[in-house]
Amino acid sequence: MVSRPLASSNESSIWARLDAQEKQVIAQLSLESVNRYVKTVKDLLEEALKAHQVKAGAYFSPLGQFRYLVRVQVVNKELERLRQSLMSPSPLHIVMKRLELIRGLLCDILM
């Protein structure tokens, strides 16, 4: 679980839910468990965006692109790939790699 000194209690509880949802997806590969995981990820992203806007406002890269928006799009793309991996007979390690990648992207956004 990610721990930051400025993390809100709501954000911490969402991280705890994310941990539980990841374990549930691994234990039971089903569309229902992945949908609950996706909802938790979206809740975490909403919390991160709220906190980001309060602290720093809009942030643009040197190339003039809004960086967090780009990362959120990447997270959404990976969530869709996770759902698609359930539709085909994929080994568990592929699902676990996707979960790890999504968690890494979330950490990048929040740090």
Side-chain angles (χ1 to χ4, degrees), residues 10-50:
N10 190 28
E11 187 178 314
S12 297
S13 70
I14 293 172
W15 275 107
R17 274 185 26 215
L18 185 70
D19 288 339
Q21 291 301 324
E22 285 176 347
K23 290 175 186 173
Q24 182 66 29
V25 167
I26 292 168
Q28 176 186 359
L29 285 177
S30 69
L31 189 57
E32 182 181 335
S33 64
V34 170
N35 285 339
R36 285 192 302 261
Y37 174 79
V38 168
K39 176 158 180 14
T40 303
V41 169
K42 290 186 178 190
D43 290 346
L44 187 60
L45 285 172
E46 286 178 21
E47 185 70 25
L49 289 175
K50 284 180 198 173

